[in-house]
């Protein structure tokens, strides 16, 4: 193994981030949140209800990342949002709060337990009028939409990583010129560049990068690595041509 490869394996061999390093990342996220993220009782209730039912907190996006979604939605004046992977609807509720009164979010979750939790959190948040939470496989839910469904302005892909290439293609079918697509968890602590890692999720993410590269329907795209309370990961983002 080359020196370079061995350092990649070391980096990405999971749970290997120095405890101290993770504590510093978390402390900086806490600092950012304390200064720049308003307290939000509805979101606190969502997190509390989710934790009370025994679900792990690392599956939600972080509060400062949620704020980034809010800002992108407002920057683009988005009104119609599509989300793949609702989990507890934390990100869904964040995005709903960024929308004008006539906004709409379609969010799709295939796990029945996650979908049920999401519906509960959305009802508790009083946002059932804006959020359309569907249960099922994304391809089937989207196929069931009527042919004259208007395009979505903003799309957040945050579901099973193995299927990201499929979700990207489904997204492009429901996009217009200028639609923004954000994809969560595309770095996975550098696992994507570890040739020995052949987990389906990681193989799916590498395929996503290949699809994004020179896609005829995408005008701009990039990926940004992130560190913070959720560890080392990152977002990919694309603008539809
Ligand atoms: C994990 C985090 C995520 O944001 C996600 O969508 C899936 C899994 C995780 O920490 O394992
Ligand atoms: Mg995620």
């Amino acid at each position: 193994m080359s020196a370079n490869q061995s350092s990649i394996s070391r980096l990405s061999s999971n749970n290997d981030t120095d405890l101290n390093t993770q504590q510093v990342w978390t402390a900086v996220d806490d600092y950012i949140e304390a200064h720049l993220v308003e307290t939000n009782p509805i979101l606190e209730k969502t997190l509390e209800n989710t934790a009370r039912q025994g679900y792990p907190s690392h599956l939600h996006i972080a509060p400062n990342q949620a704020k980034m979604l809010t800002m992108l939605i407002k920057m683009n004046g988005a009104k119609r949002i599509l989300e793949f992977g609702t989990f507890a609807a934390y990100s869904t509720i964040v995005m709903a709060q960024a929308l004008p009164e006539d906004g709409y979010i379609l969010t799709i979750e295939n796990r029945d337990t996650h979908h049920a939790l999401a519906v509960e959190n959305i009802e508790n948040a009083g946002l059932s009028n804006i959020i359309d939470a569907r249960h099922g496989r994304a391809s089937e839910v989207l196929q069931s939409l009527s042919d004259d469904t208007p395009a979505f302005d903003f799309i957040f892909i945050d579901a099973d990583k193995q299927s990201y290439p499929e979700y990207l293609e489904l997204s492009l079918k429901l996009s217009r010129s200028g639609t923004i697509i954000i994809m969560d968890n595309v770095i996975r602590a550098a696992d994507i560049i570890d040739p020995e890692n052949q987990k389906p999720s990681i193989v799916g993410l590498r395929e996503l990068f290949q699809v994004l590269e020179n896609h005829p329907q995408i005008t701009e795209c990039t990926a940004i690595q992130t560190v913070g309370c959720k560890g080392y990961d990152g977002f990919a983002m694309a603008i539809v041509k």
Side-chain angles (χ1 to χ4, degrees):
M1 196 187 281
S2 71
N4 189 33
Q5 266 190 8
S6 103
S7 65
I8 289 168
S9 320
R10 204 166 48 243
L11 241 183
S12 57
S13 64
N14 283 339
N15 309 322
D16 53 352
T17 301
D18 202 71
L19 186 59
N20 190 39
T21 304
Q22 179 57 59
Q23 282 169 342
V24 172
W25 293 345
T26 301
V28 174
D29 260 1
D30 289 346
Y31 178 88
I32 295 169
E33 188 179 347
H35 284 279
L36 306 180
V37 183
E38 301 78 5
T39 53
N40 185 319
I42 290 177
L43 289 173
E44 278 166 19
K45 217 163 95 178
T46 301
L47 294 178
E48 276 163 24
N49 186 45
T50 304
R52 193 166 50 238
Q53 298 193 29
Y55 291 96
S57 67
H58 65 90
L59 299 179
H60 308 285
I61 54 170
N64 56 338
Q65 297 175 333
K67 196 74 184 286
M68 185 190 82
L69 294 184
T70 296
M71 292 176 69
L72 289 169
I73 288 163
K74 292 191 173 182
M75 281 178 207
N76 291 286
K79 281 195 171 181
R80 289 176 55 79
I81 298 176
L82 172 61
E83 180 180 52
F84 294 79
T86 317
F87 177 45
Y90 175 80
S91 52
T92 325
I93 291 168
V94 165
M95 294 193 290
Q97 291 180 333
L99 283 175
E101 271 180 24
D102 58 346
Y104 169 78
I105 303 188
L106 173 59
T107 183
I108 307 169
E109 175 57 58
N110 195 27
R111 277 210 201 169
D112 52 359
T113 49
H114 290 180
H115 171 75
L117 171 65
V119 168
E120 195 177 301
N121 286 335
I122 292 163
E123 277 170 11
N124 288 342
L127 287 166
S128 311
N129 55 329
I130 290 187
I131 301 171
D132 184 359
R134 306 273 189 101
H135 176 223
R137 281 192 52 76
S139 55
E140 284 161 25
V141 170
L142 294 175
Q143 245 163 35
S144 75
L145 300 181
S146 74
D147 287 343
D148 59 355
T149 299
F152 291 92
D153 308 309
F154 187 89
I155 300 177
F156 184 46
I157 303 179
D158 189 18
D160 59 301
K161 315 311 165 202
Q162 184 182 346
S163 305
Y164 274 27
E166 178 196 357
Y167 298 154
L168 178 66
E169 291 300 342
L170 290 167
S171 296
L172 290 168
K173 288 201 179 96
L174 290 162
S175 294
R176 58 166 172 82
S177 174
T179 293
I180 307 288
I181 305 175
I182 306 289
M183 293 146 271
D184 193 26
N185 313 111
V186 301
I187 304 295
R188 304 312 272 155
D191 283 355
I192 57 161
I193 60 162
D194 175 3
E196 284 171 24
N197 192 322
Q198 295 296 327
K199 279 197 269 182
S201 58
I202 301 303
V203 171
L205 289 172
R206 285 189 200 115
E207 195 189 322
L208 173 77
F209 276 84
Q210 279 172 351
V211 175
L212 286 169
E213 190 178 343
N214 301 319
H215 196 295
Q217 276 177 271
I218 291 175
T219 174
E220 301 290 351
C221 62
T222 191
I224 300 293
Q225 306 182 70
T226 58
V227 294
C229 61
K230 306 288 155 147
Y232 169 28
D233 214 322
F235 292 104
M237 49 184 82
I239 306 177
V240 178
K241 197 179 272 177

